[in-house]
Amino acid sequence: MKSTVLNVLLTCVVLSACSQPKVFNDRQVGDGCEDCELMFAGIPSTIISWKTKLAADNEPGEPLIISGTIFKNDGKTPASDVILYVYQTDNTGRYTPAPNQVHAKRHGHLRGWIKTDEQGKYEFRTIRPAAYPNRNDPQHIHPIIKEPGLSYYWIDDFVFEDDPLLTDQLKKKFDERGGSGVIKLKKNEKKAWIGKRDIILGLNIPNY
Ligand SMILES: [Fe+2]
């Protein structure tokens, strides 16, 4: 309980730096979000850009660039000032914290934040995550959304159409929160995987 209060306080301090001071008045949406408060652990106090890089240049793995537009609930109007937090496994399929990592060790070191611009755009550069070792879960990247005035909520993971672990049976089970997270990847001239996903705020989110 103590840590929850502390997290909320930290969130307020941190988010006021991100022009979102009304955390205590945020309307609760979604239906629970395990470990999601970790999105605020270590969040930069400076302005977050619509572009970010999760992986250093020497991170082992295949480069991956994901971009898209975040739309309001009408599916048409670009949504600005939305924070998208993402975290993922490394290329061994583990959430490995960096040796000096203090915050959110459970989320590993491949994590980062984007704040959409006026066109609702976002982009993050990373490496393609590996699937968990000895399990059948597909490769995935976890996204959490924080809109001004609303509590944070999770949306469907980013997953990849060409992943053999992403079966049709599994795809049918997705709620498509925020829209489908299934991405078609192709390689660019620099041999990086490129993928696009647009996100619709509140879509299939309970209590939105
Ligand atoms: Fe995961």
Side-chain angles (χ1 to χ4, degrees), residues 87-89 95 132 135 137-138 140-142 157:
Y87 69 98
Q88 64 169 86
T89 56
Y95 296 100
Y132 299 144
R135 278 170 58 177
D137 308 78
H140 60 281
I141 299 174
H142 293 286
D157 290 346

